[in-house]
Amino acid sequence: MGAGSGRFAAALGIKTGIEPSDKLGNMARSRGINVIKGVAESLPFLDQQFDYVLFGTVMCFLEDPLPALLEAKRVLKPNGTLIIGMLDKNSKLVKSYEARKENPFYRDAHFFAVNEILILLHEAHFKEKEIYQTIFARLEDIKQPEIVKPGYGEGGYVIISAQPRL
C-alpha cells in the first residue's frame, strides 16, 4: 500500500499503491506505479477488491495500525493475503536507529515489536500464516544477501503473511 518512492514496489512488480506524500508519490509514478493519494487507514477501494495487500515498511509510520489492518481486511478477497514487511522494534537494527536518530527516513518512525503486530492482526480478525526474518548483521557489514530464516526474534526485518479469518 504505502508506495513511497516506488523503489520496492517497482522491483516487486506492484502496479497500484497508496501514498500520502506528493513528493514520494511523484517519484513512484516516475517508476511506473499507479499512485493514488491516500492513507492506509481509509483506503479508496471497493470491498474485496484485491488478492493481496502489502504493507512494506508502513507500520512504523502509522500511529495506530489497527484501522489500517481493518481496511486491509475490507479490501482483501476472502482468501486474500496480507503481507507485512516491518522493522522489529526489539531488534539490534531498530535499537541502533532509535539510539542515533540519524536516518532521516526513520527519524519520526514509531517502531512496533512483532508481538504487538500479531496482537493487532488477531484483533482485526486475521490469522498469521508464515513469519520470516532477515538482516542479522549490522547494515554496514552486509556485503551479500543475508539468509532468510523462519520465525522472528533474531532478524531486524520481519515478513508476516496473514489471511482474513472467515
Side-chain angles (χ1 to χ4, degrees):
M1 283 294 150
S5 69
R7 178 178 173 205
F8 296 109
L12 293 170
I14 293 170
K15 305 290 184 215
T16 302
I18 297 293
E19 179 54 51
S21 164
D22 290 329
K23 182 178 178 182
L24 291 173
N26 288 334
M27 291 172 74
R29 282 184 194 92
S30 75
R31 291 184 161 122
I33 309 300
N34 173 29
V35 178
I36 299 164
K37 188 168 176 92
V39 295
E41 298 90 333
S42 180
L43 297 173
F45 299 115
L46 299 174
D47 293 357
Q48 299 183 2
Q49 187 173 346
F50 295 102
D51 292 314
Y52 73 93
V53 171
L54 169 65
F55 287 156
T57 318
V58 169
M59 294 305 195
C60 61
F61 297 107
L62 303 174
E63 285 193 33
D64 180 4
L66 185 58
L69 294 172
L70 291 168
E71 276 292 276
K73 185 173 186 291
R74 180 185 66 78
V75 302
L76 274 172
K77 292 178 181 176
N79 291 320
T81 300
L82 170 63
I83 303 164
I84 298 172
M86 62 176 284
L87 292 159
D88 185 355
K89 177 182 178 177
N90 294 330
S91 69
K92 293 177 192 173
L93 177 63
V94 169
K95 289 181 192 295
S96 74
Y97 284 160
E98 289 183 323
R100 292 182 289 181
K101 292 288 185 187
E102 292 170 358
N103 185 320
F105 190 69
Y106 296 117
R107 187 172 292 134
D108 297 322
H110 171 79
F111 296 103
F112 293 91
V114 174
N115 285 340
E116 293 174 296
I117 296 301
L118 291 174
I119 289 167
L120 291 171
L121 279 168
H122 295 163
E123 286 181 33
H125 303 285
F126 280 94
K127 59 180 177 191
E128 69 269 11
K129 289 175 43 183
E130 298 176 283
I131 303 176
Y132 291 95
Q133 60 187 325
T134 191
I135 306 182
F136 302 97
R138 295 180 330 142
L139 293 179
E140 53 271 14
D141 294 336
I142 298 174
K143 305 297 183 218
Q144 57 186 341
E146 292 233 328
I147 62 166
V148 175
K149 293 170 60 172
Y152 63 95
E154 298 174 61
Y157 197 76
V158 176
I159 302 289
I160 303 167
S161 69
Q163 288 188 304
R165 279 188 269 152
L166 303 177

